């Protein structure tokens, strides 16, 4: 067939028999154009949606920040602030949130300690000279309360207590804390035999800690020596449920660290998560006797603040309280606060320098890495919750989707400052 005749068939369609083919051709052409248009439009819309959900402030007293927080904290029962450990701005951020919401009934701060350490913190925060008292405790039993041995967090604690708030310690007993807990039991028990038994045990725990620091070996800590025979003997000698609960927590922490040391990491994280839920429940049930619906702010490591399956593949305390809030016809709000660049206090006591620089840019999803040049203020807030519908498509990277579904708001800190330990 001549080329001219082909053109005639395709564009002039003189033959009636070819009309169905003509319809198919134009139908498919329309579908292709529509698909290309829709794809481009959705891509542009998703980018615009991401950028629309971002704003920046240099200070947390900025009216834009306050207005945004007032809006997103409505009808929440729990506010979870997942932190990068070791930077000042997390404590500052938590304090700012508490100041905005405590008038709405948020009178509780949940932290990453056991109940006894939280009790000590509350007592110190209630004293006339909190910082000197906190320093004295840290010097007497160094590393017993590792995340909160700094002035920035004590500004938060004293503010919570000054406003009539309570501090709940919902985590396990720390491995270096046996000295502190034995000392407390020794001071306050009414059991002479228990006190007599605790004196040499406390000294063994002190010696074990000193050996651990000298050899730079965590396995030298006393938790390894705390065996079943010692535990059962102390339980028999104890005289009240409070003492028995402290001992129960010591035994659970031995179990949890045991899983970690034997590289059973799922059990380590899952048992710890279950313990955090149980510890929270104990506080919560008591609070229910006084408050119809207790409200709480949580300041925890970011892995413990996720909605849904956590980064350690467990349903952590954060997901538990999210479901609890839903049961109460309320909501939970999940933040992640992390530095982009800056310096942080190093958690490892064996590090040569307690302060180290960091650069988290490579850990951010590619979508946020591309926008980093635009983030020129101290705090960049990204409202992740608004992106969930669009995240069901293929627009976002898997890393970005993880952020979107695990957290509601991401707070990125420019030039973060390291906490200064006592």
């Amino acid at each position: 067939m001549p080329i001219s005749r082909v053109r005639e068939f395709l564009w002039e369609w003189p033959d009636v028999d070819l009309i169905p083919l003509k319809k198919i051709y134009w139908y498919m052409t329309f579908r292709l154009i529509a698909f290309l248009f829709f794809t481009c439009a959705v891509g542009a819309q998703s980018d615009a949606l991401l950028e629309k959900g971002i704003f920046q402030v240099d200070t947390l007293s900025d009216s834009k920040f306050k207005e945004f927080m007032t809006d997103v904290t409505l009808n929440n029962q729990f506010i979870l602030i997942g932190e990068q450990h070791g930077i000042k701005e997390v404590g500052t951020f938590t304090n700012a949130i508490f100041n905005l919401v405590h008038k709405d009934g948020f009178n509780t701060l949940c932290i990453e300690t056991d109940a006894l350490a939280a009790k000590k913190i509350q007592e110190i925060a209630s004293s006339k000279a909190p910082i000197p008292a906190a320093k004295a405790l840290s010097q007497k039993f160094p590393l017993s309360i590792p995340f909160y041995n700094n002035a920035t967090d004590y500004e938060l604690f004293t503010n919570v207590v000054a406003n009539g708030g309570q501090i709940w310690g919902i985590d396990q007993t720390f491995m270096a804390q046996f000295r502190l807990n034995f000392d407390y039991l020794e001071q306050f028990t009414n059991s002479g035999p228990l006190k007599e038994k605790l004196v040499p045990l406390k000294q063994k725990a002190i010696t074990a800690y000193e050996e651990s620091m000298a050899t730079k070996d965590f396995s030298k800590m006393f938790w390894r020596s705390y065996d079943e025979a010692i535990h059962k003997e102390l339980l028999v000698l104890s005289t009240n449920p409070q003492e028995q609960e402290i001992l129960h927590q010591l035994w659970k922490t031995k179990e949890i660290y045991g899983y970690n040391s034997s590289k059973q990491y799922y059990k380590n994280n899952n048992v710890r998560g279950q313990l955090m839920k149980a510890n929270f429940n104990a506080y919560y049930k008591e609070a229910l006797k006084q408050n119809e619906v207790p409200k709480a702010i949580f300041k925890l490591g970011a892995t413990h603040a996720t909605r849904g399956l956590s980064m350690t593949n467990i349903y952590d305390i954060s997901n538990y309280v999210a479901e609890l809030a839903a049961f109460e016809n309320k909501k939970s709000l999940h933040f992640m606060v992390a530095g982009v660049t800056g310096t942080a206090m190093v958690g490892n006591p064996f590090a040569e320098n307690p302060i180290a620089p960091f650069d988290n840019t490579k850990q951010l999803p590619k979508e946020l890495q591309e926008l980093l040049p635009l983030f020129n203020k101290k705090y960049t807030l990204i409202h992740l919750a608004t992106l969930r519908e669009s995240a069901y498509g293929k627009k976002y990277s898997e890393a970005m989707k993880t952020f979107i579904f695990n957290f509601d708001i991401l707070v990125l800190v420019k030039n973060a400052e390291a906490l200064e330990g006592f």
Side-chain angles (χ1 to χ4, degrees):
M1 180 182 293
I3 294 296
S4 60
R5 188 63 179 146
V6 171
R7 290 197 187 100
E8 183 180 341
F9 268 83
L10 290 178
W11 302 109
E12 297 178 12
W13 301 97
D15 194 328
V16 175
D17 293 335
L18 293 177
I19 288 177
L21 182 60
K22 180 180 180 182
K23 288 182 177 179
I24 293 170
Y25 169 82
W26 282 112
Y27 173 75
M28 295 306 295
T29 301
F30 174 79
R31 287 288 301 273
L32 177 61
I33 293 170
F35 172 77
L36 292 173
F37 176 81
F38 179 78
T39 301
C40 294
V42 168
Q45 187 180 29
S46 295
D47 289 341
L49 191 61
L50 172 59
E51 293 180 21
K52 183 181 178 181
I54 298 174
F55 73 92
Q56 302 175 67
V57 293
D58 275 322
T59 69
L60 302 180
S61 59
D62 191 298
S63 59
K64 185 188 296 186
F65 174 81
K66 291 182 177 180
E67 289 169 9
F68 175 76
M69 288 302 164
T70 299
D71 183 47
V72 297
T73 55
L74 286 175
N75 200 37
N76 283 283
Q77 185 180 1
F78 304 114
I79 298 174
L80 296 104
I81 298 170
E83 67 177 11
Q84 174 186 343
H85 291 311
I87 61 174
K88 290 181 178 180
E89 287 81 2
V90 180
T92 303
F93 181 86
T94 308
N95 217 357
I97 296 298
F98 178 79
N99 285 335
L100 288 172
V101 302
H102 83 269
K103 65 182 183 301
D104 299 320
F106 283 86
N107 295 317
T108 298
L109 177 67
C110 295
I111 59 173
E112 210 167 330
T113 70
D114 74 354
L116 180 55
K119 182 178 180 179
K120 284 284 186 183
I121 288 173
Q122 177 130 0
E123 289 173 356
I124 290 170
S126 305
S127 68
K128 293 181 179 179
I131 300 301
K135 286 181 179 179
L137 180 64
S138 182
Q139 289 166 2
K140 185 176 181 180
F141 298 115
L143 207 62
S144 287
I145 309 177
F147 295 138
Y148 308 112
N149 56 344
N150 64 86
T152 303
D153 281 323
Y154 267 90
E155 289 178 10
L156 167 63
F157 299 147
T158 54
N159 187 33
V160 169
V161 172
N163 283 282
Q166 298 291 315
I167 299 173
W168 295 357
I170 62 171
D171 201 4
Q172 68 183 93
T173 303
F174 188 57
M175 67 166 66
Q177 197 182 320
F178 279 73
R179 299 159 295 153
L180 176 64
N181 290 28
F182 285 158
D183 183 73
Y184 177 86
L185 288 170
E186 180 192 340
Q187 287 186 59
F188 294 102
T189 184
N190 292 321
S191 168
L194 179 60
K195 185 188 292 282
E196 185 178 346
K197 181 67 178 178
L198 286 167
V199 172
L201 282 178
K202 185 176 75 171
Q203 187 54 53
K204 285 182 180 179
I206 291 171
T207 302
Y209 172 80
E210 291 171 349
E211 185 179 357
S212 177
M213 293 298 103
T215 59
K216 298 182 179 181
D217 184 357
F218 285 122
S219 69
K220 303 293 184 183
M221 294 279 188
F222 184 77
W223 70 268
R224 283 190 175 274
S225 302
Y226 188 69
D227 60 23
E228 192 171 8
I230 295 173
H231 179 63
K232 286 184 175 180
E233 184 176 4
L234 293 177
L235 282 175
V236 169
L237 297 174
S238 63
T239 57
N240 60 61
Q242 183 191 25
E243 292 174 355
Q244 291 171 355
E245 177 61 20
I246 292 170
L247 295 171
H248 165 72
Q249 294 290 329
L250 292 180
W251 189 248
K252 287 300 293 185
T253 211
K254 178 182 174 66
E255 178 189 356
I256 292 165
Y257 282 120
Y259 291 136
N260 185 271
S261 65
S262 60
K263 298 182 180 180
Q264 298 181 74
Y265 300 124
Y266 176 77
K267 279 188 175 181
N268 167 254
N269 288 305
N270 195 47
V271 173
R272 183 183 176 192
Q274 294 295 334
L275 179 65
M276 292 174 82
K277 295 171 193 176
N279 289 342
F280 173 81
N281 279 342
Y283 281 113
Y284 193 77
K285 288 176 182 178
E286 285 300 310
L288 280 173
K289 297 174 182 178
Q290 302 175 9
N291 300 297
E292 188 172 330
V293 181
K295 297 181 179 181
I297 298 173
F298 294 70
K299 181 178 182 289
L300 308 168
T303 57
H304 305 299
T306 56
R307 177 185 279 104
L309 195 64
S310 78
M311 304 164 194
T312 55
N313 293 311
I314 69 167
Y315 291 98
D316 217 323
I317 178 65
S318 49
N319 188 70
Y320 175 75
V321 299
E323 296 295 335
L324 180 58
F327 178 77
E328 298 287 358
N329 293 315
K330 294 190 177 295
K331 299 182 296 182
S332 61
L333 184 64
H334 302 245
F335 290 91
M336 179 175 179
V337 183
V340 178
T341 57
T343 57
M345 183 169 68
V346 179
N348 185 353
F350 306 140
E352 291 184 13
N353 192 333
I355 304 297
F358 69 85
D359 185 338
N360 286 333
T361 55
K362 295 293 178 63
Q363 279 68 53
L364 292 174
K366 65 179 181 64
E367 293 87 347
L368 298 182
Q369 290 185 40
E370 292 169 359
L371 294 173
L372 279 178
L374 303 177
F375 300 165
N376 52 20
K377 294 191 176 183
K378 180 68 176 179
Y379 298 95
T380 298
L381 288 89
I382 303 161
H383 199 181
L384 299 168
T386 62
L387 305 175
R388 288 186 185 139
E389 284 300 325
S390 59
Y392 274 99
K394 296 182 179 180
K395 172 62 184 174
Y396 298 113
S397 65
E398 290 304 313
M400 188 66 185
K401 288 179 182 179
T402 298
F403 275 98
I404 289 170
F405 290 109
N406 277 167
F407 299 98
D408 297 304
I409 299 165
L410 175 63
V411 182
L412 296 177
V413 183
K414 184 179 180 181
N415 299 326
E417 296 181 55
L419 291 170
E420 298 173 8
F422 295 141

